[in-house]
Amino acid sequence: MALQQTSVRNTLLATMAASDFSLLEPYLQRIPLPVRMQLHVAGQKIEQVYFPEDGIISIVAITLDGDECEVGVFGREGMSETATVLGTDHSPHAAYVQSAGVSGLKLPSAVLTTAFEKSSTLRRHLLRYVQAMVIQLSSSITAAGQSIEQRLARWILMCHDRVDDDDIPLTHEFVAMMLGVRRSSVTEAMIALAGSGMIETRRGIIIVRDRRGLETTAAGGYGLAEHEYKRLIGVALRRTPVA
């Protein structure tokens, strides 16, 4: 049965031209996205690209010593691997599921490359997404100079944008790895945010209670990339705080 574009919950696929979607549709396969599923292994050839319909995916840089640090995050608004859009079939970064999603769509990278070369509208659409990710990366560099509490607030907001409710299933250990800091530092920052009423923490779960407060705490580290995504793709990524 043909996959209907109107039934797809990935924003990139849903908002591309119908003629471009038709180039990809016969090869798209819906799959589950369990937590820790590896979408790409650093340094290996990219055979598949993924379009999540929910869940949170981390793009992770791996140092020569084997340490990991998150450099990007995306969910239903994006895709992996953007390296294919830029004309290469390898990436030094890994990508894996940080928070489980019910489903995603995978596509052979060769199919995307062929369609990308054939359609100028598809090129424009996907390169706009790459631009949005570049701005996210530059925001991460800016945020690196902030306090751990500010960086944590930004990271919680980015995860919150990509889930449907206020519960984010994440452990302190995982957050520490993503921020590239000690677990004890994350715990202290969590306690500070919880003490201010911005979040609540339970075992393996962060619950957002005051989004406005988190945005204020994150300061200039959050907002620019989200604004750029809406400008380029035409769909809001940033969630509106509840009054």
Side-chain angles (χ1 to χ4, degrees):
M1 181 181 295
L3 185 67
Q4 299 300 312
Q5 188 174 13
T6 53
S7 71
V8 171
R9 288 167 297 154
N10 176 275
T11 304
L12 278 185
L13 291 174
T15 57
M16 66 176 52
S19 57
D20 292 333
F21 183 79
S22 67
L23 294 175
L24 308 180
E25 185 276 326
Y27 308 95
L28 288 166
Q29 178 184 356
R30 186 169 271 126
I31 59 169
L33 295 175
V35 66
R36 300 297 294 184
M37 175 182 175
Q38 191 105 26
L39 304 187
H40 175 62
V41 178
Q44 292 190 9
K45 184 175 181 180
I46 300 168
E47 302 285 357
Q48 303 282 338
V49 292
Y50 297 85
F51 298 86
E53 294 187 290
D54 49 19
I56 302 170
I57 315 299
S58 286
I59 304 170
V60 178
I62 303 175
T63 69
L64 295 177
D65 295 329
D67 295 328
E68 295 184 346
C69 182
E70 183 180 78
V71 294
V73 62
F74 67 95
R76 58 195 166 201
E77 87 286 357
M79 63 169 286
S80 172
E81 291 285 328
T82 55
T84 57
V85 177
L86 297 174
T88 181
D89 59 1
H90 283 73
S91 171
H93 294 156
Y96 55 80
V97 179
Q98 174 192 120
S99 178
V102 175
S103 65
L105 295 153
K106 73 174 182 178
L107 177 76
S109 58
V111 172
L112 182 63
T113 298
T114 299
F116 191 80
E117 293 173 350
K118 181 177 181 180
S119 171
S120 61
T121 53
L122 182 62
R123 283 198 300 275
R124 174 184 168 87
H125 186 61
L126 296 185
L127 286 173
R128 280 175 168 256
Y129 172 66
V130 172
Q131 165 68 3
M133 288 301 292
V134 168
I135 300 304
Q136 185 190 118
L137 176 59
S138 68
S139 294
S140 295
I141 294 171
T142 299
Q146 295 182 313
S147 69
I148 294 176
E149 187 176 329
Q150 289 175 308
R151 291 166 59 197
L152 177 60
R154 172 182 181 261
W155 191 78
I156 291 173
L157 287 166
M158 292 172 69
C159 291
H160 193 230
D161 286 337
R162 292 164 172 85
V163 298
D164 292 323
D165 55 27
D166 294 328
D167 295 6
I168 306 171
L170 297 166
T171 64
H172 288 205
E173 293 89 345
F174 199 92
V175 175
M177 181 178 67
M178 291 300 96
L179 293 179
V181 299
R182 297 190 307 273
R183 180 188 171 184
S184 60
S185 298
V186 169
T187 299
E188 291 172 4
M190 289 276 195
I191 291 172
L193 294 181
S196 299
M198 287 179 265
I199 64 170
E200 179 183 342
T201 60
R202 298 176 186 170
R203 185 173 179 84
I205 298 176
I206 299 170
I207 305 169
V208 174
R209 295 302 188 196
D210 178 8
R211 184 178 170 98
R212 291 188 189 279
L214 287 170
E215 291 190 5
T216 299
T217 300
Y222 175 83
L224 180 61
E226 291 69 27
H227 178 272
E228 188 75 349
Y229 183 87
K230 182 177 181 180
R231 182 184 75 83
L232 293 166
I233 306 299
V235 177
L237 172 60
R238 183 179 192 166
R239 286 177 62 168
T240 302
V242 177

